[in-house]
Amino acid sequence: KAAFEGDVWQWHQDYGTWARDDGMPQPRAMNIAVFLDEVLPFNGPLMFIPKSHKYGTLAAGHDTSTTSYPLWTLDNLTVTRLAAEAAGPNGHGIVAPTGRPGSVIMFHGNLVHASPPNITPYPRKIVYLTLCAVSNHITKFTRPEWIAHRDFTPIEPADDDALLQCARARIAAE
């Protein structure tokens, strides 16, 4: 979300797009979002509807005009219902996590989320990594590879003390 130019992303579930466009078999996937800039309440933060992933994959329409690329989005009535249910007697129904660069958010592929445009002078860059079991990888290749990657090599776990080893090696090199 560039300063003054960041686009709106309508309410959606990522798995809805992964299933419909990419042929991902099951909603057993998650996102990891790493903040590269400070995310503020007003520079186009992600907005989540808590617990909305528990409703499964929801009906959606194919929005080809309001986001950067075609996305399966939820209708206003569904979003209103989910927000009201999430609010309960004491809640707000929608949350917008903020944080400093380096902050990390992990969320389920069926969690309903969106983001407003960024009309401030403060950029909001986030890097996303999507993970799923190799056995659950996408099966259709309709979107560009930079959006829907085709390398299904399993991630190899690092040693439990890998970060300490790296830090020690860096200190020793100085």
Side-chain angles (χ1 to χ4, degrees):
K1 299 253 177 169
F4 297 113
E5 298 175 10
D7 291 336
V8 65
W9 285 79
Q10 302 294 346
W11 290 102
H12 67 283
Q13 297 173 297
D14 289 337
Y15 178 70
T17 297
W18 300 335
R20 293 173 181 104
D21 290 351
D22 304 324
M24 184 181 284
Q26 297 179 356
R28 294 181 13 227
M30 64 178 291
N31 287 310
I32 300 173
V34 181
F35 296 179
L36 300 183
D37 292 317
E38 186 164 9
V39 176
L40 303 162
F42 45 79
N43 67 341
L46 285 169
M47 299 182 297
F48 297 107
I49 299 180
K51 302 180 183 176
S52 57
H53 65 291
K54 295 183 177 187
Y55 293 93
T57 308
L58 301 166
H62 205 207
D63 181 347
T64 60
S65 62
T66 62
T67 57
S68 296
Y69 60 84
L71 190 65
W72 292 87
T73 60
L74 305 179
D75 64 68
N76 293 346
L77 187 61
T78 299
V79 172
T80 301
R81 177 182 57 81
L82 292 170
E85 290 172 10
N90 301 319
H92 297 287
I94 296 173
V95 297
T98 59
R100 299 177 57 83
S103 298
V104 174
I105 297 175
M106 296 184 214
F107 60 100
H108 192 281
N110 265 343
L111 188 71
V112 174
H113 60 287
S115 62
N118 183 9
I119 60 170
T120 73
Y122 310 107
R124 190 230 66 181
K125 289 187 287 299
I126 298 176
V127 170
Y128 296 93
L129 177 65
T130 300
L131 301 175
C132 73
V134 173
S135 61
N136 194 47
H137 70 74
I138 63 173
T139 60
K140 294 185 337 192
F141 308 108
T142 59
R143 299 191 300 157
E145 188 170 355
W146 65 271
I147 295 173
H149 202 8
R150 284 117 167 102
D151 180 356
F152 309 121
T153 306
I155 296 173
E156 296 292 329
D159 293 335
D160 287 344
D161 65 345
L163 293 176
L164 288 173
Q165 289 177 22
C166 181
R168 288 183 187 125
R170 188 174 201 175
I171 291 169
E174 292 177 355

